[in-house]
């Protein structure tokens, strides 16, 4: 945290970052609804869609989202854009590569798992980031991080149904192998790329003004997404009248996409880059653990509204014991991983 930051500025930063997490949490059911619109347009389900369609759909949605977000940034934040120089472009591009890879896997996974589950699995980035950081430095992780990793494994196992609690006893589910899905796997893999993204932001953010990374991060994400889409769209076996263009021109699609581009994309990332430097990295990381809580809360209320507006079958998620216990364990793991290290008396 900057020493010149006033208490009022810190309060503003905390409020802003909580709102950022609320917007990111809302992006899970919104993106889930967009995925369902794609499935409906191509007359497939989460079980029958081909891998080609699933990957093409994810890259197409990401490309549209961040191309529009970049355009909004260029229009609404022209002064900030003019201050971007080559080091900011290169740093933002590197961050954008990792962000795109993580987001691509996350969106693919979100097509087949609930929004709340995706949110909690994504939050494992708080555990994985310090593990990767210590490995890169050839050091053993702190005991709190290792304990957090173990608690996170228990939380994910409960959340995904690998472990069940019956009659007060904890046991491996009889159908454990089928409980863990491909959506869970790719979402968990996505956290590796998100972790590297966070580490890059930390490294480059100590050298340059981090808000200036945003345009090239958006641009790189959009360009990579469109390249992947162009390369994979031809082999897609599914067809639909009017193809992708017909879907993009439907008001129920582009209005929802517009909400996603403006709030969870443009506003959230600009606020993150603007306000996070007013807090310590540990304080900001603790606030970021609110994201899965918001994702779960939104998923219990807005899917029915989105379903009515977008004409897809998307029911509100229900509160469940695995969600409560598994989600609580994941959050506890995050807190353990972020627990401050005790300073020695000599320091």
């Amino acid at each position: 945290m900057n020493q010149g930051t006033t208490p009022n500025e810190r309060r503003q930063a905390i409020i802003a970052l909580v709102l950022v997490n609320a917007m990111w949490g809302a992006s899970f059911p919104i993106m889930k609804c967009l995925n369902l619109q794609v499935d409906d347009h191509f007359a497939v389900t989460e079980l029958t869609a081909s891998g080609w369609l699933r990957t093409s759909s994810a890259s197409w949605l990401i490309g549209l989202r961040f191309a529009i977000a970049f355009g909004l940034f260029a229009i609404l934040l022209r002064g900030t854009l003019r201050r971007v120089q080559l080091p900011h472009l290169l740093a933002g591009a590197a961050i954008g590569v990792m962000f795109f890879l993580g987001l691509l896997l996350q969106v693919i996974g979100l097509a087949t798992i609930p929004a709340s589950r995706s949110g909690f699995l994504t939050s494992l980035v708080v555990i994985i980031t310090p593990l990767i950081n210590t490995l890169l430095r050839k050091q053993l992780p702190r005991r709190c991080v290792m304990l957090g990793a173990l608690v996170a494994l228990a939380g994910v196992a409960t959340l995904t149904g690998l472990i069940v609690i019956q009659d007060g006893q904890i046991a491996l589910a009889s159908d454990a192998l089928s409980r863990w899905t491909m959506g869970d796997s790719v979402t968990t893999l996505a956290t590796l790329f998100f972790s590297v993204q966070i580490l890059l932001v930390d490294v480059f953010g100590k050298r340059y003004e981090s808000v200036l990374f945003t345009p090239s991060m958006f641009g790189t994400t959009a360009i990579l997404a469109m390249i992947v889409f162009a390369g994979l769209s031809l082999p897609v076996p599914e067809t639909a009248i009017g193809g992708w263009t017909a879907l993009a021109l439907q008001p129920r699609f582009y209005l929802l996409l517009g909400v996603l581009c403006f709030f969870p994309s443009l506003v959230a990332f600009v606020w993150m880059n603007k306000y996070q430097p007013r807090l310590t990295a540990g304080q900001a990381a603790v606030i970021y653990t609110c994201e899965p809580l918001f994702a779960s809360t939104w998923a219990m209320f807005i899917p029915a509204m989105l379903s009515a507006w977008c004409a897809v079958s998307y029911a509100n998620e229900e509160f469940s014991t695995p969600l409560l216990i598994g989600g609580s364990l994941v959050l506890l793991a995050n807190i353990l991983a972020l627990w401050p290290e005790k300073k020695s008396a000599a320091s």
Side-chain angles (χ1 to χ4, degrees):
M1 172 175 26
N2 296 331
Q3 293 182 352
T5 303
T6 66
N8 185 52
E9 287 175 332
R10 287 195 291 272
R11 283 193 293 270
Q12 289 177 348
I14 292 172
I15 294 172
L17 291 183
V18 170
L19 292 175
V20 164
N21 280 269
M23 288 185 280
W24 282 344
S27 71
F28 286 90
I30 291 174
M31 186 61 77
K32 178 79 174 180
C33 187
L34 290 171
N35 267 323
L36 289 172
Q37 289 188 61
V38 172
D39 288 356
D40 185 61
H41 185 65
F42 283 90
V44 297
T45 68
E46 63 179 45
L47 298 177
T48 62
S50 67
W52 294 106
L53 176 64
R54 193 60 68 212
T55 307
S56 296
S57 170
S59 58
W60 183 64
L61 290 172
I62 293 169
L64 288 178
R65 174 181 175 182
F66 285 95
I68 295 171
F70 178 84
L72 291 172
F73 190 102
I75 295 170
L76 300 177
L77 299 168
R78 292 188 297 273
T80 303
L81 187 62
R82 282 194 290 267
R83 293 192 290 116
V84 174
Q85 298 179 359
L86 182 59
H88 307 122
L89 285 173
L90 296 177
I95 294 167
V97 170
M98 293 297 106
F99 178 66
F100 164 71
L101 293 173
L103 192 60
L104 178 66
L105 292 171
Q106 184 191 67
V107 174
I108 291 173
L110 190 56
T112 58
I113 63 175
S116 58
R117 190 150 142 178
S118 178
F120 279 111
L121 289 175
T122 302
S123 75
L124 292 175
V125 70
V126 179
I127 307 291
I128 295 173
T129 301
L131 288 175
I132 293 177
N133 194 30
T134 53
L135 290 174
L136 291 175
R137 295 181 179 182
K138 297 181 180 180
Q139 299 174 345
L140 286 175
R142 294 187 298 115
R143 283 177 293 180
C144 285
V145 174
M146 291 190 288
L147 178 59
L150 293 176
V151 174
L153 288 175
V156 170
T158 305
L159 188 68
T160 56
L162 297 176
I163 293 177
V164 294
I165 302 174
Q166 294 178 339
D167 301 325
Q169 294 183 340
I170 301 175
L172 186 69
S174 57
D175 56 347
L177 292 178
S178 63
R179 293 294 186 101
W180 183 267
T181 68
M182 181 61 71
D184 297 315
S185 297
V186 296
T187 304
T188 304
L189 181 60
T191 62
L192 295 176
F193 294 104
F194 287 141
S195 295
V196 177
Q197 173 208 341
I198 290 173
L199 292 174
L200 288 176
V201 171
D202 183 62
V203 171
F204 293 129
K206 293 176 180 176
R207 304 176 188 175
Y208 312 109
E209 186 179 353
S210 58
V211 72
L212 301 181
F213 303 156
T214 311
S216 59
M217 174 187 165
F218 283 178
T220 299
T221 301
I223 291 170
L224 289 176
M226 288 308 180
I227 291 174
V228 171
F229 172 70
L232 297 182
S233 58
L234 290 178
V236 171
E238 294 90 347
T239 59
I241 298 175
W244 301 95
T245 303
L247 176 60
L249 293 177
Q250 295 179 19
R252 64 190 178 98
F253 179 86
Y254 66 72
L255 289 177
L256 190 59
L257 181 67
V259 172
L260 183 69
C261 292
F262 187 78
F263 291 104
S265 303
L266 177 67
V267 176
F269 281 103
V270 169
W271 281 10
M272 180 195 74
N273 288 328
K274 178 180 179 179
Y275 290 105
Q276 182 177 318
R278 298 184 184 182
L279 304 172
T280 65
Q283 289 170 334
V286 170
I287 294 174
Y288 289 147
T289 62
C290 295
E291 182 182 356
L293 294 177
F294 280 115
S296 297
T297 302
W298 286 118
M300 292 179 188
F301 293 98
I302 65 173
M305 293 185 288
L306 295 175
S307 177
W309 162 248
C310 298
V312 294
S313 178
Y314 186 18
N316 290 338
E317 294 186 25
E318 297 181 357
F319 185 82
S320 65
T321 300
L323 179 62
L324 173 63
I325 298 176
S328 298
L329 287 173
V330 171
L331 291 177
L332 175 60
N334 291 344
I335 294 171
L336 287 171
L338 297 169
W339 200 263
E341 190 172 8
K342 288 184 179 181
K343 295 183 180 180
S344 62
S347 63

mmCIF file of all heavy atoms in Angstrom, residues 34-35 50 101 163 203 221 226 260 319:
data_model
loop_
_atom_site.group_PDB
_atom_site.id
_atom_site.type_symbol
_atom_site.label_atom_id
_atom_site.label_comp_id
_atom_site.label_asym_id
_atom_site.label_seq_id
_atom_site.Cartn_x
_atom_site.Cartn_y
_atom_site.Cartn_z
ATOM 1 N N LEU A 34 -25.230 -17.116 -21.915
ATOM 2 C CA LEU A 34 -24.768 -16.956 -23.296
ATOM 3 C C LEU A 34 -24.394 -18.313 -23.894
ATOM 4 O O LEU A 34 -24.688 -18.590 -25.062
ATOM 5 C CB LEU A 34 -23.577 -15.998 -23.347
ATOM 6 C CG LEU A 34 -23.887 -14.526 -23.054
ATOM 7 C CD1 LEU A 34 -22.598 -13.724 -22.919
ATOM 8 C CD2 LEU A 34 -24.763 -13.929 -24.146
ATOM 9 N N ASN A 35 -23.765 -19.163 -23.105
ATOM 10 C CA ASN A 35 -23.458 -20.519 -23.567
ATOM 11 C C ASN A 35 -24.723 -21.283 -23.927
ATOM 12 O O ASN A 35 -24.778 -22.011 -24.929
ATOM 13 C CB ASN A 35 -22.693 -21.287 -22.481
ATOM 14 C CG ASN A 35 -21.177 -21.188 -22.633
ATOM 15 O OD1 ASN A 35 -20.668 -21.178 -23.741
ATOM 16 N ND2 ASN A 35 -20.488 -21.112 -21.520
ATOM 17 N N SER A 50 -20.333 -30.982 -29.643
ATOM 18 C CA SER A 50 -18.994 -31.485 -29.938
ATOM 19 C C SER A 50 -17.936 -30.594 -29.279
ATOM 20 O O SER A 50 -18.190 -29.427 -28.932
ATOM 21 C CB SER A 50 -18.755 -31.506 -31.456
ATOM 22 O OG SER A 50 -18.713 -30.175 -31.962
ATOM 23 N N LEU A 101 -5.928 -17.762 -22.164
ATOM 24 C CA LEU A 101 -5.895 -19.213 -22.011
ATOM 25 C C LEU A 101 -6.738 -19.655 -20.812
ATOM 26 O O LEU A 101 -7.480 -20.638 -20.882
ATOM 27 C CB LEU A 101 -4.448 -19.693 -21.858
ATOM 28 C CG LEU A 101 -3.564 -19.526 -23.094
ATOM 29 C CD1 LEU A 101 -2.111 -19.864 -22.762
ATOM 30 C CD2 LEU A 101 -4.064 -20.381 -24.244
ATOM 31 N N ILE A 163 -16.784 -36.572 -2.356
ATOM 32 C CA ILE A 163 -16.954 -36.974 -0.960
ATOM 33 C C ILE A 163 -18.375 -36.619 -0.535
ATOM 34 O O ILE A 163 -18.855 -35.518 -0.828
ATOM 35 C CB ILE A 163 -15.932 -36.270 -0.050
ATOM 36 C CG1 ILE A 163 -14.525 -36.761 -0.355
ATOM 37 C CG2 ILE A 163 -16.256 -36.496 1.415
ATOM 38 C CD1 ILE A 163 -13.445 -36.067 0.440
ATOM 39 N N VAL A 203 4.642 -8.593 -11.131
ATOM 40 C CA VAL A 203 5.996 -8.242 -11.573
ATOM 41 C C VAL A 203 6.006 -6.925 -12.347
ATOM 42 O O VAL A 203 6.772 -6.004 -12.049
ATOM 43 C CB VAL A 203 6.589 -9.379 -12.437
ATOM 44 C CG1 VAL A 203 7.899 -8.930 -13.086
ATOM 45 C CG2 VAL A 203 6.813 -10.617 -11.595
ATOM 46 N N THR A 221 -6.309 -10.430 -25.795
ATOM 47 C CA THR A 221 -7.332 -11.448 -25.524
ATOM 48 C C THR A 221 -8.289 -11.578 -26.692
ATOM 49 O O THR A 221 -8.613 -12.698 -27.131
ATOM 50 C CB THR A 221 -8.112 -11.085 -24.246
ATOM 51 O OG1 THR A 221 -7.210 -10.985 -23.141
ATOM 52 C CG2 THR A 221 -9.166 -12.133 -23.937
ATOM 53 N N MET A 226 -10.176 -14.577 -31.517
ATOM 54 C CA MET A 226 -10.658 -14.608 -32.895
ATOM 55 C C MET A 226 -9.786 -15.515 -33.777
ATOM 56 O O MET A 226 -10.284 -16.146 -34.705
ATOM 57 C CB MET A 226 -10.706 -13.191 -33.466
ATOM 58 C CG MET A 226 -11.838 -12.352 -32.886
ATOM 59 S SD MET A 226 -13.452 -13.213 -33.017
ATOM 60 C CE MET A 226 -14.555 -12.008 -32.267
ATOM 61 N N LEU A 260 -22.269 -7.705 -20.128
ATOM 62 C CA LEU A 260 -21.046 -8.414 -19.767
ATOM 63 C C LEU A 260 -19.805 -7.609 -20.149
ATOM 64 O O LEU A 260 -18.823 -7.564 -19.395
ATOM 65 C CB LEU A 260 -21.023 -9.774 -20.470
ATOM 66 C CG LEU A 260 -19.845 -10.694 -20.150
ATOM 67 C CD1 LEU A 260 -19.919 -11.196 -18.718
ATOM 68 C CD2 LEU A 260 -19.826 -11.878 -21.123
ATOM 69 N N PHE A 319 -29.718 -23.828 -2.944
ATOM 70 C CA PHE A 319 -28.784 -23.948 -1.828
ATOM 71 C C PHE A 319 -28.685 -25.418 -1.436
ATOM 72 O O PHE A 319 -29.693 -26.110 -1.332
ATOM 73 C CB PHE A 319 -29.287 -23.122 -0.652
ATOM 74 C CG PHE A 319 -28.337 -23.082 0.509
ATOM 75 C CD1 PHE A 319 -27.274 -22.204 0.518
ATOM 76 C CD2 PHE A 319 -28.517 -23.932 1.592
ATOM 77 C CE1 PHE A 319 -26.400 -22.168 1.587
ATOM 78 C CE2 PHE A 319 -27.650 -23.904 2.664
ATOM 79 C CZ PHE A 319 -26.586 -23.025 2.661
#
